[in-house]
Amino acid sequence: MHSRFLDDLPREIRAQIYSYVLAPTGSITPKRTSTGATLWSWPSLFPNEEVNLSLLQTCRQIHDESKDVLWSDNILCFPPRRSIFDPEEDAAFVRSDSHFSRHVRTVELRFTPSPFDLAKVATFLQPLGAWDSGVLREVRFTISGMGTMTMFGELVSVIWQRAMRRRRYPNMKPGGFDSASLFNILRLAGNEETGHLRHLRRRLNIQLGIRLSSNKARREWFSVHKPEDCEETLRELHQSLGGELHMDGVLCYKDGLRLRETFAAWEAESSED
């Protein structure tokens, strides 16, 4: 049977159409439902407004051509606080013989700097590193939401206090934020010798929100946190995980190299009226 879609359109054009349909936002977020659906409930895994899988049921050729697009063009985004809380569902996500381990190429762990989220993220590192299908290529860590600016400010203060203790104030105590938890999680993932994800591409996204702040808010921020201390904090975060570090969408570090001095430029911009 003649099909104008299959017979007349080049394969490259069809691939673009498959991507528009199966990866409209470029990401997929697991969901829970009131009916008790878990990560095994595929395709009910996807919210209806995110991905429409009816394309895969059109015909065998279209299915074969498009089935890999779902995971090649989408990032599996996993926010620990909002999506999965049940240990059985966690196991369904991370086990090495799951559907995801055989198909997912990029995983993004989105979390706030809360003790709950940090502890949750830590439980996924070893299982993700143990996926042995060879399909998974990259794991991203995205810190955002309420408390992110406070968290980063505390990190800056902790690093500054540590430097002061070494130089002038050996009895000064660190701030209230447990910076060790975040640094330890990043090292657990990216340490060159023992990191669970050391064989994968790694990326840290920090959505601080300072680029969207008013000049007045930026001036207040930099009156407390010096740009050089902020840069030192970024450097240590990057050293802990490796890979890439993005701050508010700007690539700052890659594979040990600083590509941009971010905070000094933002401080200069804040002085403009």
Side-chain angles (χ1 to χ4, degrees):
M1 179 178 177
H2 176 71
S3 169
R4 296 192 62 183
F5 178 79
L6 292 174
D7 297 337
D8 297 347
L9 290 180
R11 180 67 177 85
E12 294 79 9
I13 300 299
R14 297 202 301 273
Q16 293 182 31
I17 294 174
Y18 298 150
S19 184
Y20 290 146
V21 175
L22 295 174
T25 64
S27 64
I28 293 175
T29 303
K31 69 170 185 176
R32 290 189 70 185
T33 69
S34 58
T35 60
T38 70
L39 285 171
W40 292 111
S41 306
W42 192 67
S44 60
L45 163 70
F46 310 116
N48 293 332
E49 64 273 14
E50 272 194 44
V51 178
N52 188 338
L53 299 179
S54 60
L55 176 69
L56 298 174
Q57 301 172 335
T58 306
C59 71
R60 183 180 298 275
Q61 181 175 344
I62 290 178
H63 176 274
D64 291 343
E65 289 182 352
S66 64
K67 60 183 175 63
D68 292 333
V69 172
L70 190 63
W71 296 119
S72 64
D73 291 16
N74 278 310
I75 298 170
L76 179 62
C77 299
F78 181 66
R81 180 179 296 277
R82 290 183 297 151
S83 59
I84 298 174
F85 303 83
D86 190 297
E88 293 184 3
E89 295 190 35
D90 292 347
F93 174 77
V94 299
R95 56 186 296 173
S96 60
D97 61 346
S98 70
H99 173 86
F100 300 102
S101 68
R102 298 192 300 271
H103 297 280
V104 173
R105 301 187 184 186
T106 304
V107 169
E108 180 177 6
L109 300 172
R110 295 178 179 173
F111 55 100
T112 65
S114 69
F116 174 88
D117 282 9
L118 291 174
K120 193 75 168 181
V121 168
T123 65
F124 287 101
L125 300 182
Q126 191 277 331
L128 281 175
W131 282 7
D132 57 4
S133 65
V135 176
L136 183 64
R137 293 287 186 268
E138 180 177 356
V139 177
R140 300 180 181 183
F141 300 80
T142 297
I143 308 175
S144 63
M146 184 177 298
T148 301
M149 289 193 73
T150 301
M151 174 275 298
F152 191 82
E154 288 283 357
L155 288 179
V156 174
S157 298
V158 167
I159 290 174
W160 176 83
Q161 290 171 5
R162 187 182 62 199
M164 289 298 100
R165 286 199 304 274
R166 281 197 228 124
R167 282 183 266 173
R168 298 171 57 190
Y169 307 109
N171 296 322
M172 179 180 287
K173 297 182 179 180
F177 177 75
D178 184 11
S179 62
S181 296
L182 177 58
F183 282 113
N184 287 340
I185 286 173
L186 297 179
R187 295 187 190 104
L188 189 64
N191 183 276
E192 293 182 358
E193 296 181 357
T194 61
H196 295 305
L197 309 180
R198 64 187 183 278
H199 59 294
L200 301 171
R201 293 196 300 267
R202 302 171 303 282
R203 174 171 169 174
L204 175 61
N205 303 311
I206 304 176
Q207 296 178 1
L208 193 63
I210 196 168
R211 296 184 71 191
L212 303 177
S213 302
S214 66
N215 285 342
K216 179 181 178 181
R218 292 190 196 185
R219 287 194 293 268
E220 292 176 352
W221 168 269
F222 289 117
S223 69
V224 178
H225 310 292
K226 294 182 179 179
E228 56 268 29
D229 294 332
C230 295
E231 292 292 345
E232 177 62 18
T233 302
L234 283 189
R235 186 187 68 81
E236 293 206 18
L237 288 169
H238 175 65
Q239 285 184 336
S240 298
L241 181 66
E244 296 183 357
L245 187 151
H246 295 246
M247 170 65 75
D248 281 356
V250 177
L251 176 59
C252 301
Y253 283 84
K254 183 174 182 179
D255 298 330
L257 299 176
R258 187 174 74 175
L259 304 181
R260 177 169 177 169
E261 187 175 348
T262 310
F263 289 94
W266 288 344
E267 184 189 36
E269 291 175 3
S270 70
S271 62
E272 301 174 359
D273 293 327

